[in-house]
Amino acid sequence: QVQLVESGGGLVQAGESLRLSCVASGNIFRIDTMGWYRQAPGKQRELVATITSGDITNYADSVKGRFTISRDNTKNTVYLQMNSLKPEDTAVYYCNADVTTSYFRRRYPEVWGQGTLVTVSS
């Protein structure tokens, strides 16, 4: 089995920064695209940013220029550096990964973490 565990959430004031981390563990053979999504109260889950195994990134328009996604393949970890945070960034942030396991090279294209809460006060 593969598990994703996020960390780094918390309560900050508008304009401040946070760095989220997500570590993948288990019988991992390869991790392709990794990403961050978020879900605000009463809203649907939305894409924040993704990064491929070749470090090609994609961002939601709402976070471009403020958030940066990166990964460390040696640690099976993806990061989300969030700067200039706004109250509208308040949400539970979820990590997602496309994982192939060592056992039979089975692919799990949608592995999710449990989420970490980010609250931005005005």
Side-chain angles (χ1 to χ4, degrees):
Q1 284 287 34
V2 177
Q3 186 177 20
L4 301 180
V5 178
E6 302 102 331
S7 62
L11 171 64
V12 296
Q13 293 188 336
E16 294 184 339
S17 299
L18 276 176
R19 188 193 195 205
L20 306 183
S21 300
C22 171
V23 181
S25 62
N27 297 301
I28 297 170
F29 174 71
R30 183 182 68 244
I31 303 177
D32 294 305
T33 299
M34 304 184 80
W36 288 96
Y37 293 73
R38 67 186 181 186
Q39 188 166 18
K43 295 187 177 181
Q44 290 188 332
R45 190 173 299 188
E46 64 177 4
L47 168 73
V48 176
T50 60
I51 183 167
T52 69
S53 58
D55 288 337
I56 296 173
T57 58
N58 179 53
Y59 295 93
D61 288 343
S62 59
V63 306
K64 282 181 181 176
R66 299 187 299 123
F67 291 10
T68 302
I69 189 171
S70 61
R71 62 191 287 172
D72 184 338
N73 294 324
T74 65
K75 298 179 180 179
N76 290 333
T77 300
V78 62
Y79 305 98
L80 186 69
Q81 178 65 42
M82 305 185 294
N83 298 330
S84 303
L85 281 161
K86 303 175 181 180
E88 50 263 44
D89 295 318
T90 295
V92 177
Y93 284 71
Y94 296 91
C95 177
N96 173 275
D98 181 349
V99 181
T100 299
T101 65
S102 300
Y103 290 152
F104 307 108
R105 298 294 191 266
R106 185 173 179 179
R107 183 185 176 200
Y108 296 87
E110 294 286 341
V111 181
W112 291 93
Q114 83 289 348
T116 186
L117 176 62
V118 172
T119 304
V120 184
S121 64
S122 58

